[in-house]
Amino acid sequence: MVFVAGCGAEDRDDVLKGFQLELPPCPTENLTFSGQTSAPGIDLAMSFTASTSCVEQYLKDHHVDLSRPLYWPASGWDSVGGRKIPPTEPPFGPEHMKQFKLNLDASKKYKKYIGFRTPKDAEFRVLLDPEGSKTSLYMESRLPGRVGKSD
């Protein structure tokens, strides 16, 4: 297993605990991770490759409806808050695209999901890249929920 840590002072186990997120129970490869649980930058980005069945179960365990994917690239231009968004705009922020070393092929369709939630109501956006019997999962926090706050 390869582990790449982020630049923050918090270690992986503390960040995962803060988000109430566990790694999948199956063997993973190419694990990358960065995150922190304290303001101003409550954040978690993680990727790994595992068997497709494990990745799908991991998503189901976190309330993702696999029958309702979004896709990258999108089917057309979109607009959010008056800002035009091209169909090939990267699915994650620049720092996480670099961390994930993602070079997406715009001629291919990648499944995307929102709504991946942890028990602390942190929500993630997820992109899947199937590779034979394995799938690479890339995830970036979207809403921090109650992370870093006392319960």
Side-chain angles (χ1 to χ4, degrees), residues 66 69-72 109-113 126-130:
L66 297 177
L70 303 171
Y71 292 95
W72 188 95
K109 285 281 189 188
Y110 299 84
K111 289 183 179 177
K112 286 185 358 178
Y113 296 96
V126 175
L127 180 109
L128 302 181
D129 185 6

Side-chain angles (χ1 to χ4, degrees), residues 2-149:
V2 175
F3 172 68
V4 178
C7 299
E10 295 179 72
D11 75 10
R12 179 184 71 181
D13 292 336
D14 289 342
V15 173
L16 290 173
K17 184 178 177 183
F19 276 85
Q20 274 190 307
L21 180 67
E22 294 183 11
L23 296 173
C26 60
T28 62
E29 302 169 8
N30 306 318
L31 177 68
T32 69
F33 178 90
S34 67
Q36 67 181 47
T37 59
S38 56
I42 297 170
D43 182 57
L44 189 152
M46 183 170 72
S47 68
F48 61 85
T49 301
S51 69
T52 298
S53 61
C54 175
V55 169
E56 288 175 352
Q57 188 59 55
Y58 189 67
L59 294 174
K60 288 177 192 174
D61 290 346
H62 290 89
H63 316 290
V64 174
D65 182 352
L66 297 177
S67 70
R68 300 183 53 104
L70 303 171
Y71 292 95
W72 188 95
S75 58
W77 285 77
D78 203 352
S79 183
V80 174
R83 179 178 164 263
K84 288 268 198 193
I85 301 172
T88 56
E89 180 167 294
F92 303 112
E95 69 283 353
H96 295 147
M97 290 295 290
K98 184 177 178 181
Q99 171 188 325
F100 297 149
K101 297 180 181 162
L102 267 174
N103 293 310
L104 300 174
D105 179 355
S107 67
K108 183 177 170 183
K109 285 281 189 188
Y110 299 84
K111 289 183 179 177
K112 286 185 358 178
Y113 296 96
I114 57 173
F116 179 110
R117 289 191 177 276
T118 72
K120 286 215 172 174
D121 291 328
E123 186 177 329
F124 293 81
R125 67 178 56 102
V126 175
L127 180 109
L128 302 181
D129 185 6
E131 305 161 1
S133 64
K134 295 183 178 182
T135 296
S136 292
L137 177 146
Y138 303 91
M139 59 191 282
E140 171 185 75
S141 59
R142 188 168 165 239
L143 299 171
R146 299 184 317 274
V147 176
K149 298 177 184 173

